[in-house]
Amino acid sequence: MGRATAKAPMEKPSALKSPLFKLLVDDLDKSSRHVALDLGGVSTEMLSLLGGYRCCVEIADLVRNDGLEQLNADQEQNSRLAAAESLLPAHRVGDPVDLVYCWDLLNYLKPHAISALMAAISSRAHPECRAHALIVYSERTMPDRPGRWIPVANGVLIDQAVPSPAITEAPRYSPEFLGRIMGGVAIEHARLLANGMQEFVFRLGR
């Protein structure tokens, strides 16, 4: 993805209504235990939200751990898969992942990196595992760093990342392209949001 300089970064609303994020939370069964994998950084708000649903939350924090750079590096497929596995929390046999929160991180990964990451996640996913993601779709550019999305009441998300003056070209992945590079996983829901992003829920289990 190349640098862009001709256009200011798209403005982010202070609060983003995220109906599919709310749907995933509302679908959680309080009588069952769940395992959630958060690819972003840890937040007390997210831990508090999921803690009310008997969720074990695993944090990958791909931004802080230089995971995006490692995954985007040009290397053989087996090396990419090994890199993806190393960036995820240790796999506990018999304790599959039920939910994956990708936030806007997929926008900052090359197609081969997304394929490797989703293959690593799918190998530890429950058959009913679902993943949530925000994809820049309407805008041609985006901030050069991912957001830091924090849940508040009623499915609203707030980006608490420090605004970046630099922008980069948005890959604008289409639903069809995402389905192919993610190993044919099913797109369960898709919504166009007020800020021009598409919100997705993917079915990862196999």
Side-chain angles (χ1 to χ4, degrees):
M1 292 180 286
R3 295 264 177 191
T5 57
K7 185 178 178 181
M10 65 178 182
E11 294 183 1
K12 299 177 184 175
S14 57
L16 177 64
K17 190 173 182 180
S18 183
L20 297 185
F21 179 87
K22 184 177 186 298
L23 173 68
L24 288 186
V25 174
D26 291 345
D27 280 353
L28 288 171
D29 182 358
K30 288 189 175 182
S31 65
S32 302
R33 181 178 180 276
H34 307 278
V35 177
L37 173 61
D38 192 332
L39 301 183
V42 63
S43 74
T44 55
E45 293 87 352
M46 193 65 175
L47 293 177
S48 176
L49 174 65
L50 296 181
Y53 293 89
R54 293 186 59 200
C55 275
C56 169
V57 183
E58 300 181 338
I59 306 296
D61 202 347
L62 297 184
V63 177
R64 175 174 291 185
N65 295 326
D66 295 326
L68 302 179
E69 291 78 5
Q70 292 183 50
L71 290 168
N72 280 332
D74 293 327
Q75 51 190 330
E76 295 180 353
Q77 182 178 3
N78 289 340
S79 298
R80 290 197 296 267
L81 288 172
E85 285 286 354
S86 71
L87 291 166
L88 299 177
H91 179 30
R92 297 192 299 270
V93 177
D95 207 8
V97 174
D98 302 292
L99 294 166
V100 182
Y101 294 96
C102 303
W103 309 111
D104 62 349
L105 296 178
L106 300 187
N107 298 290
Y108 298 88
L109 291 175
K110 297 177 181 178
H112 70 253
I114 295 176
S115 297
L117 179 62
M118 290 304 161
I121 294 173
S122 293
S123 69
R124 62 184 66 195
H126 186 277
E128 299 298 317
C129 178
R130 293 190 287 180
H132 177 268
L134 299 169
I135 300 295
V136 177
Y137 188 72
S138 297
E139 298 288 338
R140 295 186 178 277
T141 61
M142 62 185 185
D144 71 339
R145 296 194 299 266
R148 176 173 165 75
W149 299 93
I150 303 299
V152 292
N154 298 318
V156 173
L157 303 175
I158 294 178
D159 183 4
Q160 291 190 340
V162 176
S164 172
I167 58 175
T168 189
E169 182 181 351
R172 304 175 72 198
Y173 294 128
S174 70
E176 296 77 16
F177 185 71
L178 284 171
R180 290 198 302 272
I181 65 176
M182 292 171 69
V185 300
I187 298 174
E188 190 172 285
H189 300 288
R191 291 283 297 268
L192 184 63
L193 302 181
N195 68 344
M197 283 184 167
Q198 274 201 318
E199 183 183 24
F200 288 97
V201 171
F202 302 102
R203 180 78 67 173
L204 295 185
R206 297 178 181 178

